[in-house]
Amino acid sequence: MAATAALGVTLPTIAMAQSDYPTKPIKIIVAFPPGGTSDVMGRMMTEPLSKALGQPVVVENIGGAGGTIGTDRCVKAPADGYTIIQTGVGQNAVAHGLDPKLKYDSVKDFIHISHVHSGPNVLVVNAAQPYKTLADLVNAAKANPGKIDYGYTHAASGHMAMELFKQTANIYLTGIPYRGGGPMMTALLGNEIPMMFINQDVALPHIKAGKLRPLAVSSLKRNNLYPDVPTVAESGYPGFEALSWSGMSVAAGTPAPIVAKLEAAFNEVMGSAAIKTKLESNGFVVPPQGSKVYSDFVAAEKARWTQVIQKAGIKPQ
């Protein structure tokens, strides 16, 4: 009887807590340091999401290990909707291919709520290089296997785009690793390396200055910042796509009513003209919304990049 009485008190209390959600501030974990694209995307969500939910929304940066430390922190937090993780290609797709002992499973351990942004990488070459088109580069690579270099930062979306392109085009290029995008860009601008894939927003100022030449973008459709630059897909490699992306997720076990409220709030935020304008002005797009759509996308990305990494023989650093 005592157990039944206790249960009778507990169940309505839990139900009320779920129906009243949220009653306190909500935290978004950004699993990278401040200042990068991930941080910008996470902070872009705070004000409109706070208005939609009626509670303050704050960002907590927990960087390290390619985003896996902060992501694991969300898994270990209470599944009550007050801790949201900004999920992304690195820690939720690429990481699985690099570390078979990863502490979390991006499909089983999360409920994915909203796909916030996606954007292509751009294959750029130093303006002093002779390659004018993607075909020029591929022909040169096939004539000189292993003699053409490219820059990359380990496990970044640009690195993955290049690995996929090498496999798709059946070419052998030599990768030169860099610890960050800044040093890699400096090397490219100095013509120490001839080319790399890089996020479209980062490349644009150098392209406008005439220092870099874009050969192709890695999205299926042309990017609005690069209307005259063909996609890899239309350059002879149908279906090629390699995106930088992020979204918002919570730990598995979060009650369905709370998930529904968060999904509705994110649908409202992502449907706003202000967010669409901010994203598109930087060459990003607003992806299709909905928890199921984003969940299916994450699962597909996890499977695809794991296969690419295993085929390339890439190891963790």
Side-chain angles (χ1 to χ4, degrees):
M1 291 292 293
T4 303
L7 186 62
V9 171
T10 302
L11 288 178
T13 301
I14 294 173
M16 184 175 296
Q18 294 177 13
S19 63
D20 290 347
Y21 171 89
T23 59
K24 61 181 182 180
I26 297 167
K27 175 173 62 181
I28 296 176
I29 294 177
V30 172
F32 297 92
T37 300
S38 295
D39 186 56
V40 170
M41 293 297 166
R43 293 182 186 278
M44 185 174 66
M45 294 290 102
T46 57
E47 184 178 349
L49 189 61
S50 176
K51 290 180 179 178
L53 291 172
Q55 288 289 339
V57 178
V58 298
V59 163
E60 180 180 4
N61 295 92
I62 305 177
T68 61
I69 292 175
T71 306
D72 185 55
R73 188 77 61 87
C74 178
V75 175
K76 292 180 169 62
D80 57 7
Y82 290 99
T83 301
I84 299 172
I85 178 69
Q86 182 195 43
T87 38
V89 60
Q91 73 268 37
N92 293 99
V94 174
H96 287 282
L98 293 174
D99 185 3
K101 297 182 179 179
L102 197 65
K103 293 180 180 179
Y104 57 84
D105 186 302
S106 293
V107 174
K108 298 177 181 178
D109 292 335
F110 299 92
I111 298 172
H112 300 294
I113 295 173
S114 174
H115 195 168
V116 170
H117 94 280
S118 70
N121 286 274
V122 184
L123 180 56
V124 290
V125 298
N126 185 282
Q129 292 293 321
Y131 317 115
K132 305 296 184 183
T133 67
L134 194 61
D136 290 343
L137 174 60
V138 171
N139 291 336
K142 289 186 174 181
N144 303 277
K147 295 182 180 180
I148 300 176
D149 299 337
Y150 66 93
Y152 72 92
T153 55
H154 187 71
S157 62
H159 183 196
M160 294 298 100
M162 185 62 83
E163 291 297 340
L164 179 61
F165 180 63
K166 286 159 55 181
Q167 293 175 16
T168 303
N170 193 28
I171 56 175
Y172 174 36
L173 304 170
T174 299
I176 308 298
Y178 290 85
R179 290 193 174 274
M184 184 170 63
M185 181 60 78
T186 298
L188 180 63
L189 293 172
N191 207 23
E192 295 172 25
I193 51 174
M195 64 177 168
M196 64 184 182
F197 269 106
I198 191 71
N199 286 3
Q200 86 288 342
D201 54 330
V202 177
L204 190 61
H206 305 294
I207 292 171
K208 287 184 174 180
K211 297 178 180 180
L212 299 179
R213 181 185 306 120
L215 300 185
V217 295
S218 65
S219 50
L220 286 176
K221 296 180 179 180
R222 293 197 183 196
N223 187 268
N224 67 300
L225 294 185
Y226 300 86
D228 299 324
V229 179
T231 67
V232 175
E234 69 180 289
S235 299
Y237 306 95
F240 184 95
E241 185 178 42
L243 302 174
S244 169
W245 54 266
S246 73
M248 296 291 167
S249 309
V250 293
T254 301
I258 292 176
V259 171
K261 284 190 177 182
L262 285 170
E263 184 176 7
F266 275 109
N267 284 344
E268 178 183 334
V269 170
M270 297 308 300
S272 72
I275 292 295
K276 186 174 186 291
T277 298
K278 284 182 181 179
L279 288 172
E280 290 184 349
S281 65
N282 287 289
F284 298 109
V285 299
V286 178
Q289 292 300 302
S291 179
K292 185 181 186 309
V293 173
Y294 185 44
S295 296
D296 290 346
F297 176 83
V298 172
E301 286 283 279
K302 174 190 171 185
R304 184 160 71 111
W305 292 119
T306 296
Q307 183 179 32
V308 169
I309 289 165
Q310 290 176 345
K311 184 175 180 179
I314 301 170
K315 304 297 182 183
Q317 290 186 345

